Amino acid sequence: LPNYLVQSISQNPEPGKVNGGFHDGALLFADVSGFTAMSEKMSVLGKEGAEEVTGIVNNYFAAMLEINGHFGGDLLKFGGDALLIFFEGEVGSYRALATGSAMMDAMSAFEAVRTSQGVFPLRMKIGMAYGPVFLASLGTPQSMDHAVMGSTLFNLAQAESNALSGEIVVHRSMQAVTGDTARYSPVTQGFWKLEELHETVTIPQEDKGIKSAVQDAGSNRDFLVQNLLGEADMIGGMRPYVPEELFVHIIHEPQRIAVYGSHRPVTISFTNILGINEIIDALGPDNQDSITAILNSHFVSMSEVINRFGGTVNRLDAYSVGHRILGLFGALQAHDDDPCRAVQAALEMNKTL
């Protein structure tokens, strides 16, 4: 879960708490190509191939997230093999540039990834934009998701689509607030390619996050019990965001966060929703509660349809135009007729919308 969401839950751990609001800052979207070709080649090995790909993906993400943590970014979403990161405030725009530059440098370790099925190159491109972002927690006490929405994401998607492999392209909103610390060259109208940074970005103090109070409890029994109860409330508040299969795994083996993969047939439904950005822009910061209520009604209705037909919502995120809901049928619980269930769910979602 993103740091901002964990902090919010720590202050109000009520399960199923729906809320949303605007935050100004820089968004970074890092997309990697090469994993699809690798996965297709490795699929002939079945489970062994899936485990090998999982290990490589994990190594890649570990390297990128270490860089992100160094510069204080907040990971909002994994999007397949892509990362969506938020840096709050105008100062965050400088840290976003430094993060993107360091990520590009780190890609040298993945130029030729050796596997049992050959050598595969991985390539990265990055888009960035600056502006207001609407962050929302949507769902029910049983199932929640956090959403990132607003027109800044459209600008971000356009910046990324204008980048070639090995390039960082920013929207003019980002160039306007960082032009004094970086050199850019024009790509197309409204978009600029980062050529170099003029100065070293100051790294923020390490964010220690939410440290377990049990570590500092000593032998004070009352203090220990009170803080254990507080942490139990936090777990309750985070529980609706965690898929059942993963939650059970964490409960059974809390000291071993294993990285594992599986190879199984899954039917995927990809639902593109148009009009959400227009609602957010029209209502604006003075109507954050109304925006959240509209978004939550929509998300809950779509999720209920997917769940009714035996599927699960994998994620809700931005798309090049509008937003998308990714549903999986057969990922957690398999049925012989999962493809039919997905089609039935799609028809019902259209009626419900």
Side-chain angles (χ1 to χ4, degrees):
L1 297 179
N3 291 332
Y4 89 87
L5 182 56
V6 174
Q7 294 291 342
S8 176
I9 293 174
S10 71
Q11 297 169 11
N12 184 355
E14 176 187 350
K17 179 68 174 178
V18 175
N19 56 50
F22 285 93
H23 300 259
D24 287 335
L27 285 172
L28 178 156
F29 184 77
D31 192 17
V32 171
S33 60
F35 279 124
T36 299
M38 182 191 300
S39 300
E40 290 176 351
K41 190 72 173 181
M42 303 293 287
S43 66
V44 300
L45 301 179
K47 181 180 179 181
E48 290 76 13
E51 290 176 348
E52 187 172 354
V53 171
T54 300
I56 296 169
V57 172
N58 186 62
N59 290 339
Y60 160 73
F61 277 135
M64 297 303 122
L65 293 180
E66 181 177 359
I67 294 171
N68 175 59
H70 183 66
F71 289 103
D74 195 357
L75 175 65
L76 298 181
K77 292 277 186 178
F78 285 105
D81 47 17
L83 298 171
L84 178 62
I85 303 171
F86 181 65
F87 299 82
E88 187 150 18
E90 186 171 325
V91 68
S93 61
Y94 307 114
R95 292 190 282 117
L97 290 179
T99 301
S101 296
M103 285 181 169
M104 280 298 183
D105 291 341
M107 285 303 294
S108 61
F110 301 93
E111 289 179 347
V113 180
R114 298 186 179 278
T115 75
S116 61
Q117 297 297 301
V119 178
F120 295 87
L122 298 181
R123 300 285 186 266
M124 174 188 282
K125 60 177 182 174
I126 293 177
M128 297 187 196
Y130 181 87
V133 179
F134 194 81
L135 303 177
S137 295
L138 308 174
T140 68
Q142 291 72 43
S143 179
M144 297 286 291
D145 200 355
H146 58 96
V148 189
M149 299 181 173
S151 56
T152 301
L153 274 89
F154 175 76
N155 298 335
L156 176 72
Q158 295 297 106
E160 188 270 337
S161 68
N162 277 290
L164 301 176
S165 294
E167 292 183 348
I168 299 174
V169 172
V170 307
H171 182 258
R172 61 175 175 268
S173 58
M174 186 76 169
Q175 190 270 342
V177 296
T178 60
D180 57 338
T181 59
R183 181 170 65 86
Y184 294 98
S185 62
V187 176
T188 186
Q189 185 174 3
F191 297 94
W192 302 77
K193 183 174 75 170
L194 176 66
E195 298 291 353
E196 66 174 336
L197 295 177
H198 292 327
E199 60 184 51
T200 302
V201 175
T202 302
I203 301 172
Q205 291 185 348
E206 180 184 3
D207 182 5
K208 300 184 182 300
I210 301 175
K211 183 180 178 182
S212 173
V214 176
Q215 298 175 20
D216 301 321
S219 59
N220 187 323
R221 181 178 179 277
D222 292 338
F223 180 85
L224 178 62
V225 170
Q226 190 64 37
N227 282 281
L228 281 173
L229 291 175
E231 292 193 357
D233 287 340
M234 270 199 65
I235 292 173
M238 291 187 286
R239 168 67 187 89
Y241 294 91
V242 183
E244 183 68 24
E245 187 178 65
L246 179 59
F247 183 77
V248 171
H249 172 75
I250 294 173
I251 292 298
H252 288 171
E253 298 183 85
Q255 301 303 321
R256 187 173 74 90
I257 304 299
V259 177
Y260 59 95
S262 61
H263 186 256
R264 66 182 76 176
V266 175
T267 302
I268 301 173
S269 70
F270 183 103
T271 306
N272 188 196
I273 308 296
L274 306 178
I276 290 179
N277 283 344
E278 289 77 3
I279 292 174
I280 293 174
D281 290 342
L283 294 181
D286 293 335
N287 296 285
Q288 295 182 145
D289 291 344
S290 296
I291 294 173
T292 303
I294 293 171
L295 297 179
N296 194 61
S297 176
H298 158 69
F299 176 70
V300 170
S301 297
M302 298 298 101
S303 299
E304 287 177 347
V305 173
I306 292 175
N307 294 334
R308 192 190 319 151
F309 287 94
T312 183
V313 175
N314 177 256
R315 66 176 181 267
L316 167 66
D317 58 16
Y319 190 49
S320 55
V321 179
H323 291 76
R324 62 183 176 180
I325 296 177
L326 189 65
L328 302 180
F329 296 79
L332 299 181
Q333 183 178 4
H335 307 88
D336 292 337
D337 61 343
D338 276 323
C340 293
R341 289 169 178 261
V343 172
Q344 290 176 310
L347 293 172
E348 188 64 27
M349 289 171 70
N350 197 41
K351 291 179 183 179
T352 302
L353 187 62

